Amino acid sequence: MLPSLDSVKIIKLPYIVEENGDLVIMEAADLPFDIARVFVVRAETDAVRGCHAHKMCSQFLTCPQGQVEVLCDDAENTAQFSLDAPNLGLYIPAGIWASQKYEEPNSVLTVLCDLPFDESDYIRFYGDYLAYRREQSV
C-alpha cells in the first residue's frame, strides 16, 4: 500500500541555542530510519529542485541555513511544508512526489536517505509517477 500525504511529517530535532552559536542534534532515536546516505544541495534563490519520487527510498530533509519550501504530492492531494529553522526536518516516505523551492539566498538542504543511491529507484516524470501510483493501488 502506497503512503498518502498523512505519512509526510515535520519532525522537530533537539536544538540548543547558546550565546556563541547554536547546535542541532540528529540521533538515531530522532530519525524515522537508519541512514544509508547523506547529501547536501545548494541552489540559487527561486530555484526548484527535486521534482521526483522514489519507489523504495525514504528521505528526511533539513534546512540548516536559509529557507526551502517543499511541495509533496500523493497523486490525489498536495501539501506544502516550510523548512525555515535548522531544527525542523521533513520525513518523506517512498512513493511521495516532492519538489523543493529555495526561498532565500544561500539556502542549504541536507537530505538523509534510508537507502544508497540507485537510479532505478527514481521516478523523474510526473506522468510516470501517476501511472506508478495507479499500478500500485490495484
Side-chain angles (χ1 to χ4, degrees):
M1 176 97 137
L2 288 174
S4 69
L5 285 181
D6 291 338
S7 58
V8 177
K9 302 279 186 220
I10 287 280
I11 297 172
K12 282 192 172 184
L13 299 167
Y15 187 40
I16 300 168
V17 179
E18 297 178 326
E19 194 174 291
N20 62 348
D22 58 358
L23 174 70
V24 176
I25 302 163
M26 287 185 236
E27 294 182 336
D30 301 320
L31 301 175
F33 51 71
D34 291 333
I35 301 166
R37 177 171 56 127
V38 177
F39 60 92
V40 175
V41 183
R42 299 183 305 164
E44 298 294 324
T45 304
D46 293 327
V48 177
R49 297 193 44 98
C51 302
H52 65 267
H54 291 275
K55 298 172 190 171
M56 301 297 295
C57 182
S58 294
Q59 298 184 317
F60 183 76
L61 285 59
T62 67
C63 182
Q65 180 173 314
Q67 180 177 349
V68 175
E69 296 293 320
V70 182
L71 183 65
C72 294
D73 182 330
D74 67 3
E76 293 183 16
N77 299 293
T78 61
Q80 186 165 319
F81 302 88
S82 184
L83 297 177
D84 59 359
N87 67 318
L88 295 180
L90 182 65
Y91 169 63
I92 304 174
I96 299 291
W97 183 270
S99 62
Q100 302 86 38
K101 183 177 181 192
Y102 289 71
E103 296 288 342
E104 293 181 2
N106 302 310
S107 291
V108 175
L109 190 70
T110 301
V111 182
L112 295 77
C113 304
D114 66 346
L115 295 173
F117 176 79
D118 178 359
E119 181 60 36
S120 67
D121 184 54
Y122 284 74
I123 305 170
R124 297 195 183 271
F125 299 99
Y126 191 71
D128 294 343
Y129 172 69
L130 294 176
Y132 173 78
R133 291 289 296 207
R134 280 191 302 274
E135 290 168 9
Q136 297 300 312
S137 63
V138 174

